[in-house]
């Protein structure tokens, strides 16, 4: 059998195959995809109604709670999707399918990580666009072209950060039950301990400190700013207890966290995938 | 020429010594059988060959390439079909083969040709476009085998490929293996089916408890006994004392050798009797003289099971039953997870 000679082409071929498999699974079992859109929309309606009469002074830079909530729900959708990205890998581990990948002469085992990342990123983009579109229909506005770029750039960083942690957990934890349990424990508390549902000024001091170090906050605030008509990267996005952070600061912090997480998990992935 | 050289291979799983100083040489283009009961170490040996496990000690070379140092090169050379069939239930058989071909970097035109060829060879035309989740055991095994063969490996490693299969699937797989061997592919086949190894293998290694009991050509191994296998019972359910007494009588008869008492089969006596002597008549006389009656006596050509029995005092079937009760499959499954 004549085997092609170019490593880059090989990497593309194997990553495309792995990603395609994930999309075939999604196409044939789309319930989690639709649930991922439906849940934040239900939240948008319910939370929007619940806090419809909240004093507007508490919500910096927006004129309604629905406007405020949109960014939080976009980030929550991407975060939940990325947090769950380890599950297919865990099932592959448990059912032995991972061995099929490990005995194959993959150019780089990175393709296994890359495919999960591409899949979750595309999924998050589509789900986020659906949420943004429905928010728009509800009168909560839509970011301009540059703002849209910031939304997607922020989502890419968040997805990469959380996906790398989730894939790492998929190798470290003994089985899918433990992974699901951990996702349950982490998912909502991280959302509530961020600025997704309320601004820091609304929180008790201790929660404000936690929220101002929460990576979700670093993703939510730039997206919230991206919705404003006078958007620019140097606008103050977060009034943290330790000082003001601009949109640029938030994205840079998210970028650093992503790099840090990739550096930390790399030895583990190397060990497990060699 | 030895294509595969395994030297002093050892592997421990916490408290279990799965492989103990294994030495094997496998000739290019041969079908090499690995025979042993469940839990003997066959799967660990094959997973090590397939680069899924690193040994604690020893070396393995395939085409003079070190399996431990250069696993990626080895992965290009081998096809591995695991004991547990791991298919993606959501994909169709054709999609799975397409996926597998991409993992092995087969170019588009060759990919389609190879997939079609294997679909025909393994008689999968009628169900290849159904989802893998709907397949029977035999269908799953055939698609798994096809996936292992897509890139035309130099060495095909098969871990118990016919366990639990229907006769049709088994015959198709046996036929394909014979064809592949004729084409010069080296095949390593583990099994606990004696007839399978006896029929297919050019050479065989018999493993028990992580150690090699014997190895060689199946015919040579069987001929080493130099006579017929006799199984004797003096009562339906005898005891150790009685069977020891009978053993002493048998030991005195010239032409009877390799006497083993098989406790798990009612303390039957298993031994080899020279073919050129009328030993059975003599045996009956001697037993009658000592007031023993014959409950049953069977005479057969020695099989590979006798090689196993001779070394362990148990038949392969008994060892299977013993190991089935002893193994912690859940623990083993966790250990095998990466």
């Amino acid at each position: 059998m004549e085997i092609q000679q170019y490593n880059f082409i090989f990497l593309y071929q194997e990553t495309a195959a792995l990603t395609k498999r994930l999309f075939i699974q999604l196409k044939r079992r789309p319930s989690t995809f639709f649930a991922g859109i439906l849940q934040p929309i239900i939240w948008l309606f319910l939370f929007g109604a619940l806090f419809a009469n909240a004093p507007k002074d508490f919500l910096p830079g927006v004129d309604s709670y629905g406007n405020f909530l949109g960014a939080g729900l976009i980030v929550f959708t991407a975060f939940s999707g990325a947090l769950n990205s380890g599950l297919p890998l865990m099932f592959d581990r448990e059912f032995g399918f991972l061995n099929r990948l490990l005995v194959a002469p993959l150019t780089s085992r990175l393709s296994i990580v890359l495919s999960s990342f591409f899949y979750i990123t595309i999924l998050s983009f589509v789900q986020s666009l659906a949420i943004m579109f429905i928010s728009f229909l509800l009168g909560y506005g839509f970011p301009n072209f540059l703002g849209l770029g910031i939304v997607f750039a922020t989502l890419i960083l968040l997805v990469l950060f959380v996906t790398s942690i989730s894939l790492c957990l998929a190798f470290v934890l003994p089985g899918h039950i433990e992974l699901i349990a951990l996702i349950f424990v982490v998912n909502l508390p991280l959302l509530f301990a961020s600025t997704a549902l309320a601004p820091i000024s609304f929180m008790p001091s201790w929660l404000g400190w936690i929220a101002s170090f929460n990576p979700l906050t670093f993703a939510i605030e730039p997206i919230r700013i991206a919705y404003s008509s006078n958007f620019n990267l140097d606008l103050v996005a977060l009034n943290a207890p330790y000082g003001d952070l601009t949109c640029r600061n938030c994205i840079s912090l998210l970028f650093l966290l992503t790099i840090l997480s990739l550096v930390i998990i790399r030895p583990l992935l190397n060990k497990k995938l060699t | 020429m030895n294509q595969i050289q395994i030297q002093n291979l050892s592997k421990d799983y916490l408290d279990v010594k799965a492989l103990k100083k294994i030495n094997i040489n496998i000739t290019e283009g041969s079908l090499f059988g690995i025979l042993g009961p469940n839990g003997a170490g066959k799967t660990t040996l094959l997973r090590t060959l397939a680069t899924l496990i690193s040994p604690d000690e020893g070396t393995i070379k395939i085409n003079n390439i070190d399996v431990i140092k250069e696993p990626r090169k080895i992965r290009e050379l081998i096809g591995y079909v695991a004991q547990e069939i791991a298919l993606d239930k959501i994909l169709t058989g054709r999609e799975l083969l397409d996926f597998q071909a991409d993992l092995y970097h087969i170019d588009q035109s060759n990919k389609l040709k190879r997939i079609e060829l294997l679909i025909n060879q393994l008689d999968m035309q009628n169900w290849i476009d159904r989802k893998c989740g709907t397949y029977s055991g035999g269908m799953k095994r055939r698609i798994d085998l096809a996936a292992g063969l897509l890139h035309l490996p130099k060495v095909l490693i098969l871990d118990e490929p016919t366990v639990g299969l229907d006769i049709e699937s088994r015959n198709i797989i046996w036929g394909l293996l014979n064809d592949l061997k004729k084409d010069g592919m080296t095949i390593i086949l583990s099994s606990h089916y004696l007839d399978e190894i006896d029929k297919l293998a050019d050479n065989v290694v018999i493993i028990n408890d992580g150690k090699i009991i014997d190895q060689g050509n199946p015919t040579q191994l069987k001929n080493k006994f130099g006579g017929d296998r006799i199984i004797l019972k003096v009562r339906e359910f005898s005891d150790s004392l009685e069977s020891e007494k009978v053993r002493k009588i048998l030991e005195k008869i010239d032409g009877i050798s390799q006497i083993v008492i098989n406790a798990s089969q009612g303390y039957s006596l298993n031994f080899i009797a020279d073919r050129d002597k009328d030993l059975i008549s003599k045996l009956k006389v001697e037993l009658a003289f000592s007031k023993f009656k014959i409950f049953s006596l069977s005479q057969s050509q020695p099989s590979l099971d006798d090689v196993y029995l001779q070394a362990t005092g148990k038949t392969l079937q008994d060892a299977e039953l013993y190991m089935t009760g002893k193994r912690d499959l859940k623990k083993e499954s966790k250990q095998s997870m990466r």
Side-chain angles (χ1 to χ4, degrees):
Chain A
M1 179 65 49
E2 193 176 320
I3 290 191
Q4 297 170 15
Q5 293 301 316
Y6 305 101
N7 283 352
F8 183 75
I9 295 173
F10 287 179
L11 182 67
Y12 168 77
Q13 190 178 12
E14 62 206 30
T15 307
L18 288 160
T19 313
K20 185 178 164 191
R21 176 182 165 231
L22 292 170
F23 276 106
I24 292 174
Q25 287 176 335
L26 178 73
K27 188 180 157 195
R28 295 191 182 147
R29 284 189 177 165
S31 50
T32 51
F33 171 75
F34 289 116
I37 295 175
L38 205 58
Q39 191 196 33
I41 289 169
I42 292 170
W43 283 41
L44 195 64
F45 274 110
L46 291 181
F47 275 91
L50 194 63
F51 294 104
N53 298 324
K56 287 191 176 130
D57 300 345
F58 284 113
L59 305 170
V62 292
D63 53 9
S64 74
Y65 188 72
N67 246 337
F68 179 84
L69 191 60
L73 293 182
I74 289 168
V75 167
F76 176 64
T77 305
F79 171 68
S80 298
L83 200 57
N84 283 303
S85 65
L87 271 174
L89 184 65
M90 178 60 96
F91 285 122
D92 280 352
R93 246 184 98 203
E94 286 183 326
F95 293 116
F97 197 85
L98 184 66
N99 287 340
R100 191 179 288 285
L101 312 182
L102 296 180
V103 295
L106 300 178
T107 296
S108 167
R109 301 292 173 88
L110 184 68
S111 52
I112 297 171
V113 179
L114 278 178
S115 60
S116 291
F117 170 65
F118 287 144
Y119 170 71
I120 296 295
T121 303
I122 294 167
L123 204 65
S124 300
F125 279 10
V126 174
Q127 289 176 328
S128 298
L129 276 172
I131 295 163
M132 287 160 81
F133 184 68
I134 289 167
S135 299
F136 172 72
L137 292 180
L138 292 171
Y140 300 142
F142 201 84
N144 62 23
F145 191 70
L146 182 63
L148 209 57
I150 288 297
V151 171
F152 288 141
T154 310
L155 288 182
I156 286 175
L157 288 176
L158 181 74
V159 164
L160 192 52
F161 171 58
V162 182
T163 300
S164 61
I165 292 171
S166 184
L167 293 179
C168 184
L169 289 172
F171 279 115
V172 170
L173 295 174
H176 74 274
I177 301 289
E178 290 79 4
L179 183 59
I180 290 170
L182 192 76
I183 290 169
F184 269 125
V185 169
V186 166
N187 202 359
L188 287 181
L190 264 178
L191 178 77
F192 293 136
S194 75
T195 56
L197 304 176
I200 282 185
S201 59
F202 208 77
M203 300 176 187
S205 162
W206 63 270
L207 189 56
W209 275 95
I210 294 173
S212 62
F213 284 108
N214 186 339
L216 293 192
T217 301
F218 301 144
I220 292 163
E221 293 306 329
I223 292 176
R224 197 163 277 151
I225 293 284
Y227 266 80
S228 66
S229 53
N230 58 341
F231 165 76
N232 83 65
L233 283 170
D234 294 316
L235 280 177
V236 172
L238 181 69
N239 301 116
Y242 48 79
D244 288 347
L245 293 181
T246 62
C247 193
R248 193 190 301 276
N249 295 147
C250 287
I251 292 172
S252 302
L253 279 169
L254 199 58
F255 179 75
L256 280 176
L257 282 172
T258 305
I259 299 294
L260 192 69
S261 72
L262 290 173
V263 169
I264 290 170
I265 68 153
R266 200 180 159 204
L268 178 91
L269 290 178
N270 278 345
K271 187 184 162 199
K272 292 288 182 179
L273 293 174
T274 302
Chain B
M1 182 194 146
N2 287 333
Q3 187 179 24
I4 302 169
Q5 295 146 307
I6 302 172
Q7 290 182 329
N8 290 322
L9 196 73
S10 298
K11 176 73 186 172
D12 294 356
Y13 290 115
L14 299 174
D15 51 339
V16 180
K17 289 193 180 299
L19 297 175
K20 301 169 189 167
K21 303 262 180 201
I22 298 283
N23 288 291
I24 297 172
N25 288 316
I26 300 173
T27 315
E28 188 170 3
S30 67
L31 197 153
F32 189 85
I34 301 174
L35 186 66
N38 279 324
K42 304 187 299 290
T43 296
T44 303
L45 176 60
L46 295 186
R47 284 171 65 89
T48 313
L49 269 168
T51 75
L52 283 170
I53 296 176
S54 292
D56 298 329
E57 210 182 309
T59 58
I60 310 174
K61 285 184 178 176
I62 300 178
N63 283 3
N64 275 325
I65 302 168
D66 194 309
V67 170
I68 300 143
K69 289 179 185 157
E70 299 187 85
R72 197 179 167 276
K73 281 188 183 169
I74 294 297
R75 288 173 193 137
E76 283 176 4
L77 295 175
I78 62 165
Y80 174 61
V81 180
Q83 190 178 356
E84 312 82 31
I85 311 167
L87 304 177
D88 188 332
K89 288 180 188 174
I90 304 289
L91 301 183
T92 66
R94 194 184 296 276
E95 284 166 346
L96 183 88
L97 294 179
D98 187 77
F99 170 77
Q100 183 91 3
D102 283 334
L103 297 187
Y104 282 83
H105 313 122
I106 300 170
D107 61 69
Q108 192 64 23
S109 57
N110 271 329
K111 180 165 79 173
L112 297 176
K113 276 186 217 157
R114 284 293 299 155
I115 289 173
E116 281 310 317
L117 182 72
L118 284 162
I119 289 170
N120 291 326
Q121 273 184 319
L122 285 157
D123 197 17
M124 305 189 289
Q125 301 90 332
N126 292 336
W127 44 266
I128 192 70
D129 291 309
R130 271 167 45 193
K131 285 184 198 167
C132 293
T134 65
Y135 290 173
S136 68
M139 291 169 175
K140 283 181 187 169
R141 186 55 81 186
R142 277 190 259 174
I143 194 86
D144 205 22
L145 183 57
L149 284 168
L150 262 177
H151 61 297
L152 271 178
K154 299 266 185 269
V155 178
L156 180 65
I157 301 168
L158 302 165
D159 193 357
E160 311 226 6
T162 57
V163 168
L165 288 195
D166 55 281
I167 292 169
E168 185 203 349
S169 295
R170 201 172 172 184
N171 285 337
I172 287 173
I173 289 175
W174 282 10
L176 179 70
L177 294 182
N178 274 324
D179 290 345
L180 294 170
K181 197 174 80 169
K182 277 179 206 155
D183 292 342
M185 189 181 285
T186 306
I187 301 166
I188 305 172
L189 168 79
S190 86
S191 180
H192 56 257
Y193 294 143
L194 293 160
D195 58 336
E196 185 166 75
I197 295 287
D198 213 353
K199 191 170 177 181
L200 297 174
D202 300 308
N203 282 296
V204 60
V205 63
I206 302 175
I207 297 184
N208 185 57
D209 197 22
K211 281 186 297 195
I212 291 179
I213 290 173
D214 213 339
Q215 59 180 315
N217 175 291
T219 313
Q220 284 170 355
L221 288 178
K222 288 182 288 186
N223 286 345
K224 274 204 309 197
F225 290 98
D228 284 345
R229 159 65 58 197
I230 311 284
I231 301 172
L232 168 71
K233 278 186 172 186
V234 288
R235 266 194 303 138
E236 187 174 9
F237 297 106
S238 188
D239 55 40
S240 62
L241 197 70
E242 188 176 50
S243 51
E244 276 301 333
K245 282 181 190 167
V246 178
R247 183 215 281 266
K248 283 187 180 132
I249 296 166
L250 296 177
E251 279 170 352
K252 287 177 192 158
I253 301 173
D254 186 33
I256 287 181
S257 61
Q258 301 181 46
I259 306 161
V260 176
I261 296 171
N262 190 346
S264 60
Q265 289 187 353
Y267 288 92
S268 66
L269 288 119
N270 294 246
F271 55 90
I272 300 295
D274 286 358
R275 281 184 197 129
D276 53 348
K277 294 178 182 169
D278 187 19
L279 284 171
I280 302 300
S281 312
K282 200 172 175 184
L283 172 73
K284 284 176 182 169
V285 172
E286 290 290 336
L287 287 174
F289 183 72
S290 301
K291 302 209 171 5
F292 283 111
K293 287 179 183 169
I294 293 176
F295 174 76
S296 70
L297 189 141
S298 68
Q299 186 168 8
S300 60
Q301 298 270 317
S303 70
L304 290 173
D305 202 16
D306 293 313
V307 182
Y308 187 81
L309 177 72
Q310 207 60 51
T312 64
K314 283 181 194 153
T315 62
L316 260 172
Q317 198 183 8
D318 296 334
E320 283 290 320
L321 290 170
Y322 174 72
M323 286 309 296
T324 304
K326 204 179 158 194
R327 292 177 80 182
D328 184 347
L329 294 174
K330 205 173 170 184
K331 190 175 160 191
E332 285 177 26
S333 165
K334 288 279 174 197
Q335 279 170 344
S336 71
M337 269 172 69
R338 289 276 290 247

